[in-house]
């Protein structure tokens, strides 16, 4: 089309976005200014015609179910009606049949090109290594294998043919739900001391010393890997000081149930210096902070009798962005890698060894075979699901070859899930960019208050649980974290339930080797195991800090000693071209705000220039470029366009991992959703049906994050989270003027999932507004609450209150609906 027509079209889209509108089936729908209107996705669903998709041969065929039915099914999964472990993937992993292929980042093939190469795999020309799993470890394995050099010729590339497939998005599970620390194992240092200074030292001295040495060796490895990240990947990492306040000189009961740690307040400065020394003093030095300075820096602790604070440093990163950088680094170095590509079966040779996998592109439904000499499973807490597919394939192969036994041997589980919940609070809980550590919580776990992306991250819990793809955190665990915060902070600073901007749950893999011989030592960290029947290798366990080490060991096991890893000397995607002054250069060239420029520099490194080239003019004198996706956040429109080049396929990919809006503020993510949908639909040429389905699916997924309004279903801590009518009144009073108006009551109904018609709203509000002046005071609200009404019943039901008593009202606190 002529360029002028394109400009006019973009101008219309821009106006729609500013007005909160979205174009569906040629009709302009308006999203209410409140991000909390739960009816929007339902409105879209009612307008969706029966879905039409493009088949592999290029002909249009009617889908078996309408887009509306698929969206409603997605919402059912989001609300927990499905017990499947893949509920999250079921919501967002719908085919989009995008009719437009966007290029990849400069120097990196596009996702379409990658899928073409994977689908053209031949049995006669197999890949050397195929990795199934695109989290930190799986993408790390692909990066390591693609950058190998020959052992006997250090300057010669090993030229391994490498493939990697991921059933969801990169980092869509565990790798995006961490505590955001690249920590060197201070806790392991403590457990090593506990194991050494125990009665076992006298009963089994040799084994005890070996265990101690093993723990120390693991901590030293963590320090090496942390140094690699902070020195080589400076565009992705930063140091964060963490204060440990002490209010007494002796702790009872002692941490780790060991008498020595009862004296930790006295020993802490020396322990942290040893910790510094284990990294060769390459980290910022730990130090002691006196009582008065601690009180000035942490007014939240003013009510506690602080003796002093010991301060040490850990590295921090944006975990999902690091994972994406690893995946794109693998692609940049020749690996064929694709997200939303699921392994559906294992191909076995005549000898029973695995020679490939059957794969399916979830975005098109296309099925193809990927042939490989060696296969590595890196599924994190979902590794056993991959092994189950392998196990079923072996049994089926035996049956075909008439080798089946009467009762096939069961698969021995290798990975258990450890669930951890994190909560995001406003940034004022971590002043001066300094975190806090509670080393002795009520159940013995570490509790971090960490500054992250100008917010406060609190975590984590640790509960054994089967892994699931949805991020929904149990309300009990959210409340436990808040209760611990209340014990830790000053008594006059109440951490309200409404302060929770977002919360999520992730699963870390707790691994054991099912193929280990009897008497083999138990791994303290990660395991790498080979199935002797199929030859498939799986790797599980570990932590974010050691992703590179784990990948190197896995590929060493797969390809032998003929090649050598070079990743310890390589920068990740975006590392080239980054400098500490990059943000200033972006401001000078593009006229961006400082917050946006610093965000782009820390997120994309040297690739920030590519992002900026995609930005639209704001039409303002300042900033000149970079239209924001959500108020008060540095994410801009250009990042959505660039995300499509980084293999983003769904709106949720952008809201959760390319940006971190859903992790930082659930309501802000929902408010940005229409804008993101407009841009992605334009970039990927989505049909109106696909766009509507994507909007509804993304909303259903984001609703699974916890926000300031709790989901009380199944909670055992119900009475501990209810306060009084004043709290709920303050929460509904969005503008804080001391009374409720008709709009605020309507917003409250919408955010709780039962939007009211104009007539219903007028009737309900008139019953509250006893004097008819259009303003409902706290006294009027309390009087209305004591009279039975339909709105109150709905409100009680949605809040999970069960009863209608005043003391049964859940604490919501004040603040606007955007957090």
């Amino acid at each position: 089309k002529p360029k002028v027509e394109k400009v006019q079209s973009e101008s219309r889209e821009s106006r729609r976005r500013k007005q909160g509108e979205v174009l569906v089936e040629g009709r302009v729908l308006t999203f209410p200014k409140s991000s909390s209107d739960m009816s929007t996705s339902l409105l879209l669903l009612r307008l969706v015609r029966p879905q039409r998709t493009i088949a592999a041969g290029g002909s249009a065929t009617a889908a078996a179910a309408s887009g509306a039915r698929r969206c409603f099914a997605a919402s059912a999964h989001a609300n927990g009606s499905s017990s499947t472990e893949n509920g999250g993937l079921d919501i967002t992993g719908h085919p989009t049949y995008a009719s437009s292929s966007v290029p990849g980042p400069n120097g990196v093939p596009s996702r379409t090109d990658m899928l073409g190469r994977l689908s053209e795999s031949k049995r006669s020309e197999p890949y050397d290594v195929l990795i199934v799993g695109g989290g930190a470890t799986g993408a790390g394995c692909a990066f390591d294998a693609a950058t190998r050099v020959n052992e006997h010729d250090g300057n010669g590339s090993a030229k391994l043919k490498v493939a990697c497939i991921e059933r969801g998005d990169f980092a869509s599970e565990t790798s995006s739900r961490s505590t955001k620390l690249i920590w060197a194992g201070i806790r392991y240092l403590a457990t090593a001391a506990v194991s050494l200074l125990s009665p076992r030292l006298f009963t089994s001295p040799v084994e005890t010393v070996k265990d101690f040495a093993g723990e120390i060796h693991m901590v030293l490895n963590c320090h090496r890997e942390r140094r690699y990240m902070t020195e080589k990947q400076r565009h992705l990492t930063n140091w964060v000081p963490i204060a440990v306040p002490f209010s007494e000189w002796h702790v009872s009961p002692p941490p780790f149930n060991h008498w020595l740690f009862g004296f930790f307040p006295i020993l802490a400065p020396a322990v942290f210096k040893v910790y510094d020394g284990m990294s060769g003093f390459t980290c910022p030095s730990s130090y002691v902070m006196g009582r008065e300075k601690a009180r000035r820096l942490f007014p939240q602790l003013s009510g506690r009798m602080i003796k002093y604070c010991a301060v040490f440093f850990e590295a921090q990163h944006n975990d999902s962005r690091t994972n994406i950088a690893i995946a794109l680094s693998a692609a940049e170095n020749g690996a064929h890698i694709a997200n939303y590509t699921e392994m559906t079966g294992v191909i076995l040779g005549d000898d029973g060894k695995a020679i490939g996998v059957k794969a399916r592109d979830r975005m098109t439904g296309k099925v193809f075979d990927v042939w490989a000499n060696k296969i590595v499973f890196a599924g994190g807490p979902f590794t056993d699901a991959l092994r189950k597919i392998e196990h079923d394939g072996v049994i089926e192969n035996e049956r075909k070859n008439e080798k089946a036994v009467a009762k096939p041997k069961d698969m021995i589980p290798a990975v258990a899930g450890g669930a951890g919940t994190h909560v995001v609070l406003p940034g004022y809980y971590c002043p001066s960019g300094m975190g806090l550590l509670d080393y002795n919580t009520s159940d013995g776990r570490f509790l971090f208050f960490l500054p992250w992306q100008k917010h406060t991250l609190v975590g984590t819990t640790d509960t054994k649980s089967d892994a699931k793809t949805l991020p929904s955190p149990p309300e009990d665990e959210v409340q436990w974290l808040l209760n611990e915060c209340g014990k830790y902070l000053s008594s006059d600073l109440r951490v309200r339930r409404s302060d929770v901007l977002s919360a999520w749950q992730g699963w870390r893999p707790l691994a054991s080797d099912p193929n280990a011989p009897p008497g083999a030592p138990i791994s303290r960290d990660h395991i790498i195991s080979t199935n002797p029947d199929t030859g498939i290798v799986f790797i599980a366990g570990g932590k974010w800090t050691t992703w590179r080490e784990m990948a190197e060991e896995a590929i060493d096991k797969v390809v032998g000693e003929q090649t050598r890893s070079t990743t310890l000397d390589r920068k990740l995607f975006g590392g080239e071209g980054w400098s500490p002054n990059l943000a200033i250069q972006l401001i000078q060239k593009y006229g961006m705000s400082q917050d946006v420029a610093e965000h782009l520099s820390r997120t994309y490194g040297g690739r920030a220039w590519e992002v900026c080239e995609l930005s639209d003019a704001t039409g303002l004198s300042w900033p000149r470029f970079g239209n924001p996706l959500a108020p008060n956040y540095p994410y801009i429109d250009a990042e959505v366009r660039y995300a499509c080049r980084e293999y983003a396929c769904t709106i949720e990919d952008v809201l959760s991992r390319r940006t971190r809006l859903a992790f930082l503020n659930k309501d802000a993510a929902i408010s940005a959703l229409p804008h993101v949908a407009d841009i992605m639909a334009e970039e990927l040429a989505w049909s109106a049906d696909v766009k509507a389905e994507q909007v509804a699916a993304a909303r259903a997924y984001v609703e699974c994050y916890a926000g300031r309004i709790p989901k009380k279903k199944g909670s055992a801590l119900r009475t501990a989270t209810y306060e009084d009518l004043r709290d709920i009144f303050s929460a509904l009073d969005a503008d804080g003027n001391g009374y409720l108006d008709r709009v605020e009551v309507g917003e409250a109904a919408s955010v709780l999932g039962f939007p009211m018609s104009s007539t219903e709203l007028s009737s309900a509000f008139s019953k509250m507004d006893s004097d008819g002046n259009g303003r409902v005071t706290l006294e009027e609200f309390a009087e209305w609450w004591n009279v039975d009404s339909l709105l109150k019943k709905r409100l009680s039901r949605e809040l999970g209150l069960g009863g209608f008593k005043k003391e049964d009202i859940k604490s919501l606190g004040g603040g606007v609906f955007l957090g």
Side-chain angles (χ1 to χ4, degrees):
K1 294 182 180 179
K3 184 175 182 181
V4 64
E5 292 185 18
K6 181 178 180 182
V7 171
Q8 291 173 349
S9 175
E10 290 178 352
S11 177
R12 287 194 297 271
E13 288 299 315
S14 177
R15 286 196 299 271
R16 290 194 186 107
R17 289 195 294 265
K18 290 178 181 179
Q19 295 169 4
E21 297 173 344
V22 61
L23 186 65
V24 176
E25 286 291 322
R27 300 175 62 180
V28 178
L29 305 179
T30 302
F31 276 74
K33 294 300 181 183
S34 167
S35 68
S36 308
D37 186 358
M38 296 285 290
S39 65
T40 305
S41 58
L42 299 180
L43 178 61
L44 288 170
L45 295 176
R46 296 188 187 111
L47 294 176
V48 176
R49 295 193 307 243
Q51 178 88 6
R52 294 182 64 82
T53 60
I54 305 301
S59 62
T61 58
S66 71
R69 288 178 182 173
R70 294 171 67 184
C71 291
F72 279 121
S75 298
H77 282 296
N79 293 329
S81 62
S82 171
S83 60
T84 176
E85 68 176 18
N86 299 326
L89 191 62
D90 291 340
I91 291 175
T92 60
H94 296 310
T96 59
Y97 305 97
S99 59
S100 177
S101 174
V102 298
N106 290 342
V108 179
S110 68
R111 180 179 182 273
T112 301
D113 290 338
M114 289 295 192
L115 285 168
R117 298 173 187 182
L118 287 167
S119 63
E120 293 170 0
S121 172
K122 299 178 181 178
R123 185 172 183 179
S124 59
E125 299 176 7
Y127 287 99
D128 294 302
V129 184
L130 165 64
I131 299 100
V132 182
T137 304
C141 287
F143 177 47
D144 184 279
T147 55
R148 290 252 157 175
V149 297
N150 292 318
E151 179 62 34
H152 304 296
D153 181 10
N155 297 322
S157 171
K159 295 183 179 179
L160 296 176
K161 290 182 62 178
V162 182
C164 179
I165 58 175
E166 160 59 42
R167 66 172 182 170
D169 189 23
F170 303 122
S172 57
E173 307 298 345
T174 300
S175 297
S176 62
R177 305 180 194 175
S178 72
T179 312
K180 321 305 177 191
L181 288 179
I182 307 174
W183 66 305
I186 183 66
R187 185 182 178 95
Y188 296 131
L189 188 62
T191 56
V194 168
S195 66
L196 181 65
L197 303 176
S198 68
R200 290 183 65 242
L201 182 61
F202 303 99
T203 58
S204 305
V206 175
E207 291 182 6
T208 302
V209 172
K210 284 184 177 180
D211 288 344
F212 174 76
E215 294 276 0
I216 295 298
H217 179 71
M218 185 171 63
V219 175
L220 289 173
N221 285 348
C222 289
H223 277 278
R224 180 195 63 209
E225 297 302 316
R226 186 182 70 173
R227 182 174 179 179
Y228 159 74
M229 288 297 293
T230 56
E231 293 185 356
K232 287 290 184 180
Q233 322 306 336
R234 295 175 62 196
H235 65 298
L236 294 171
T237 61
N238 60 276
W239 290 104
V240 57
I242 301 175
V244 185
F246 298 103
S247 56
E248 50 193 353
W249 296 113
H250 183 267
V251 181
S252 182
F256 304 103
N257 294 318
H258 193 282
W259 64 269
L260 179 63
F261 287 93
F263 297 96
F264 185 60
I266 300 173
L267 300 174
V271 170
F272 289 136
K273 283 301 178 185
V274 171
Y275 193 59
D276 295 347
M278 296 181 79
S279 65
F281 295 99
T282 56
C283 61
S285 180
S286 60
Y287 61 92
V288 170
M289 182 191 303
R291 176 190 306 172
E292 295 304 320
K293 184 176 181 179
R295 288 179 174 175
R296 288 197 303 270
L297 285 180
F298 297 102
Q300 305 96 318
L301 305 178
S302 61
R304 299 184 61 183
M305 298 299 295
I306 301 297
K307 305 293 185 182
Y308 80 100
C309 286
V311 181
F312 71 106
F313 287 80
E314 287 289 8
Q316 189 180 54
H317 69 146
N318 183 346
D319 51 7
S320 71
R321 289 301 320 181
T322 302
N323 195 156
I324 293 168
I326 298 169
L328 293 176
S329 298
E332 191 176 26
N333 284 279
H336 297 169
I337 184 169
N339 56 347
Y340 287 102
T341 305
E342 184 174 21
M343 182 189 82
T344 59
V346 174
I347 305 172
L348 301 175
D350 295 336
D351 59 355
K353 298 296 183 182
I355 56 177
V357 304
K358 292 187 175 297
R360 177 171 64 95
D361 175 15
R362 294 184 68 97
M363 293 295 103
T364 64
K366 182 179 180 180
V367 177
F368 52 90
D369 296 335
V370 183
W371 303 91
N373 292 327
K374 297 289 184 180
I375 300 174
V376 177
F377 288 166
F382 300 94
T383 296
D384 278 346
L386 299 176
R387 296 179 59 239
K388 180 66 165 56
I389 296 175
E390 172 196 16
H391 181 73
D392 292 346
V394 170
I395 294 175
E396 182 64 25
N397 189 59
E398 290 177 346
R399 286 173 179 161
K400 287 181 179 179
N401 295 312
E402 298 181 352
K403 296 180 180 179
V405 294
K407 183 179 180 181
K409 61 180 181 181
D410 294 331
M411 186 192 79
I412 302 174
V415 181
T421 295
H422 294 81
V423 166
V424 175
L425 301 173
Y428 49 71
Y429 284 105
C430 275
S432 306
M434 181 176 289
L436 292 169
L437 168 63
D438 183 355
Y439 64 93
N440 197 26
T441 61
S442 60
D443 64 356
R445 293 179 284 200
F446 277 20
L447 184 67
F448 287 97
F449 297 71
L450 298 172
W452 182 63
Q453 304 282 310
K454 298 187 177 180
H455 291 65
T456 300
L457 178 64
V458 180
T460 176
T461 60
D462 190 0
T463 307
K464 288 186 178 181
S465 169
D466 292 336
K468 297 179 178 62
T469 57
L470 282 174
S472 307
E475 178 60 28
D476 287 355
E477 295 198 3
V478 173
Q479 189 58 43
W480 180 86
L481 290 170
L482 297 182
N483 290 345
E484 291 297 319
C485 292
K487 297 174 184 177
Y488 198 63
L489 301 177
S490 174
S491 58
D492 64 352
L493 182 63
R494 185 166 67 96
V495 183
R496 304 169 303 177
R497 180 59 182 80
S498 60
D499 288 332
V500 176
L501 302 179
S502 184
W504 69 88
Q505 186 175 50
W507 282 262
R508 63 187 182 95
L510 308 173
S512 58
D513 189 351
N515 302 312
I522 298 175
S523 171
R524 297 175 181 82
D525 193 18
H526 59 271
I527 63 167
I528 302 173
S529 179
T530 303
N531 185 331
D533 296 328
T534 64
I536 292 179
V537 174
F538 78 83
I539 179 169
K543 60 188 73 65
W544 241 115
T545 306
T546 57
W547 70 267
R548 192 211 62 82
E549 177 190 27
M550 293 169 62
E552 178 181 342
E553 292 182 9
I555 301 304
D556 280 344
K557 188 177 185 68
V558 169
V559 302
E561 300 179 354
Q562 294 80 17
T563 63
R564 177 173 56 84
S565 175
T566 64
T567 52
L568 199 56
D569 300 318
R570 291 180 178 268
K571 293 181 180 179
L572 292 177
F573 186 81
E576 297 295 338
W578 180 86
S579 74
N581 295 322
L582 177 58
I584 298 174
Q585 296 169 349
L586 296 177
I587 294 172
Q588 292 175 339
K589 181 173 181 179
Y590 297 100
M592 292 179 163
S593 69
Q594 183 173 346
D595 283 349
V596 169
E598 290 177 351
H599 155 68
L600 295 178
S601 172
R602 303 300 306 185
T603 302
Y604 302 95
R607 298 283 177 157
W609 298 104
E610 297 178 35
V611 180
C612 291
E613 286 298 317
L614 299 173
S615 61
D616 292 334
T618 63
L620 304 173
S621 59
W622 188 267
R624 300 197 308 274
F625 286 90
N627 292 292
L629 296 179
N632 303 317
Y633 287 89
Y635 306 116
I636 60 173
D637 54 353
E639 293 183 77
V640 183
R641 300 187 189 279
Y642 193 72
C644 295
R645 288 154 173 76
E646 289 185 327
Y647 303 3
C649 297
T650 73
I651 297 172
E652 189 267 329
D653 294 343
V654 174
L655 295 177
S656 293
R657 288 170 296 281
R658 302 310 188 281
T659 71
R660 305 312 303 271
L661 262 179
F663 279 80
L664 292 173
N665 190 323
K666 171 184 174 179
D667 291 338
I670 293 176
S671 72
L673 197 157
H675 192 172
V676 174
D678 287 343
I679 298 173
M680 293 191 74
E682 178 185 334
E683 288 289 316
L684 300 176
W686 285 343
S687 69
D689 287 346
V690 166
K691 179 180 178 181
E693 180 175 308
Q694 279 286 309
V695 168
R699 187 176 187 105
Y701 190 97
V702 174
E703 286 291 351
C704 293
Y705 291 87
R708 53 181 215 89
I709 297 179
K711 299 175 182 178
K712 299 301 299 175
K713 184 177 181 180
S715 173
L717 293 175
R718 175 179 166 225
T719 56
T721 62
Y722 302 162
E723 292 292 336
D724 53 30
L725 281 171
R726 184 182 298 277
D727 286 330
I728 193 171
F729 180 87
S730 298
L732 301 182
D733 182 16
D735 51 17
N737 58 12
Y739 59 84
L740 304 182
D741 56 37
R742 187 175 181 275
V743 172
E744 290 171 331
V745 174
E747 286 181 341
S750 293
V751 77
L752 292 171
F754 50 94
M756 308 173 71
S757 68
S758 178
T759 302
E760 291 173 333
L761 179 58
S762 296
S763 175
F765 186 76
S766 64
K767 293 178 180 178
M768 289 187 191
D769 185 18
S770 59
D771 59 9
N773 66 352
R775 301 180 179 184
V776 176
T777 64
L778 176 60
E779 290 73 19
E780 289 176 309
F781 183 74
E783 182 179 349
W784 167 81
W785 190 268
N786 290 324
V787 178
D788 198 12
S789 70
L790 178 62
L791 176 59
K792 188 182 71 174
K793 288 180 179 179
R794 286 181 173 180
L795 186 63
S796 299
R797 182 173 66 249
E798 294 300 327
L799 294 178
L801 301 182
F804 306 135
K805 297 179 180 179
K806 178 177 178 179
E807 59 269 20
D808 247 0
I809 307 306
K810 181 185 61 61
S811 172
L812 290 177
V816 299
F817 282 100
L818 287 179

